[in-house]
Amino acid sequence: MKKTESTKLNNSYVSVNGSFGGNQSWFEKIEDRKHGETIRDFGCGLIAVGDIILYVTDYKVLEGGKESLNDTTYRDFILSIEKKFFHVLPKLGISGPLLAWGLNLYFFMHRKEIRKYTGSKYHARWFVRQKNLLKRIKEMLSNDIPVLFSIGPGFFTKTKVNLYDRTDEAGKLIFKPVNKTKDHYVMITGVYEGEKTMLEISSWGKRFYVSYDEYIRYVKRHDNFFFSNILYIKKKKK
């Protein structure tokens, strides 16, 4: 039996009142109800980039830092960056290239603070080649950067990618399918390589797992590697 090896973030992932990452459904009842419903339905990319910013800066972009993180401060932060950098369009959401553009603009506009908080500078781009995909995911995690990961729309199929739950039985990791998704951005927070390669992800504020091989088959059969890809972020020391 092959021993399971893991590549994970260095610290606990973003959590609001016990969640595992942000949840776009938290916005459905904001004052601007219509806009809140747009974020709920099409704001997965917005939530993902917001969580990236919070994580890599150790929440220092929030007044009061990590200790101030609650559902109100989280929503306020996400709405502030959505307005300036990541506008979510009804029915469309926001594309991978626009997420990269908006994040780079955020990094540029806040470059002094980010260098002060992290000692580094960051640059994002959308898309890496399939042969390098897993390598780049592990590289980012090793550099303590969460990975925005797209499970593409698969326009002409109803097929979706399985989401798994994980249990540990007698020292062996057991993965059981509990849901399915497509046309969705999630966040990769870990990679487990054993008999299968499983990606630990955050989606809708919960922890799931995706089979890397199943994902690759889905993209090859039903989608393409432009829509199904990652936001690749490089980190450089100042």
Side-chain angles (χ1 to χ4, degrees), residues 37-231:
E37 290 173 354
T38 295
I39 294 176
R40 176 198 64 193
D41 295 339
F42 305 100
C44 49
L46 168 66
I47 299 301
V49 288
D51 285 2
I52 290 171
I53 294 168
L54 289 174
Y55 184 87
V56 301
T57 64
D58 195 26
Y59 309 92
K60 292 183 174 65
V61 292
L62 299 178
E63 186 176 349
K66 188 174 185 178
E67 298 304 315
S68 71
L69 184 63
N70 55 46
D71 52 356
T72 299
T73 55
Y74 183 85
R75 281 196 300 267
D76 288 347
F77 171 72
I78 294 295
L79 290 172
S80 71
I81 64 171
E82 193 267 346
K83 183 177 181 180
K84 297 177 181 177
F85 304 100
F86 305 104
H87 186 59
V88 178
L89 297 174
K91 308 294 183 184
L92 295 174
I94 183 168
S95 70
L98 284 177
L99 287 170
W101 184 88
L103 192 56
N104 285 330
L105 182 59
Y106 181 92
F107 289 151
F108 176 76
M109 297 293 290
H110 296 269
R111 58 194 181 279
K112 292 182 179 180
E113 300 100 301
I114 290 174
R115 288 187 180 187
K116 177 182 176 183
Y117 300 151
T118 69
S120 303
K121 61 180 181 179
Y122 298 83
H123 183 269
R125 67 176 171 87
W126 181 254
F127 184 80
V128 299
R129 294 181 182 275
Q130 179 206 339
K131 65 179 182 179
N132 295 325
L133 193 57
L134 187 60
K135 176 183 176 181
R136 296 305 185 199
I137 290 170
K138 293 167 64 177
E139 174 193 316
M140 285 181 59
L141 294 174
S142 296
N143 285 325
D144 205 26
I145 305 171
V147 185
L148 186 153
F149 181 62
S150 173
I151 301 172
F155 291 114
F156 304 110
T157 184
K158 294 183 179 179
T159 301
K160 296 182 178 181
V161 173
N162 285 316
L163 300 181
Y164 291 85
D165 194 10
R166 186 189 101 177
T167 57
D168 190 337
E169 299 180 9
K172 182 179 180 181
L173 299 182
I174 306 296
F175 297 93
K176 298 180 180 179
V178 293
N179 211 330
K180 295 184 177 184
T181 193
K182 70 169 186 170
D183 199 14
H184 188 39
Y185 294 110
V186 301
M187 293 299 300
I188 301 174
T189 58
V191 175
Y192 294 84
E193 296 175 279
E195 295 180 9
K196 297 180 180 180
T197 297
M198 303 296 291
L199 309 176
E200 180 186 75
I201 67 161
S202 164
S203 174
W204 295 92
K206 297 180 179 180
R207 189 195 314 260
F208 296 105
Y209 297 84
V210 169
S211 164
Y212 183 73
D213 289 338
E214 288 180 10
Y215 170 79
I216 294 297
R217 284 198 298 271
Y218 167 81
V219 180
K220 287 183 174 180
R221 294 175 182 177
H222 305 294
D223 203 64
N224 64 72
F225 285 100
F226 180 77
F227 291 119
S228 293
N229 215 280
I230 65 170
L231 187 65

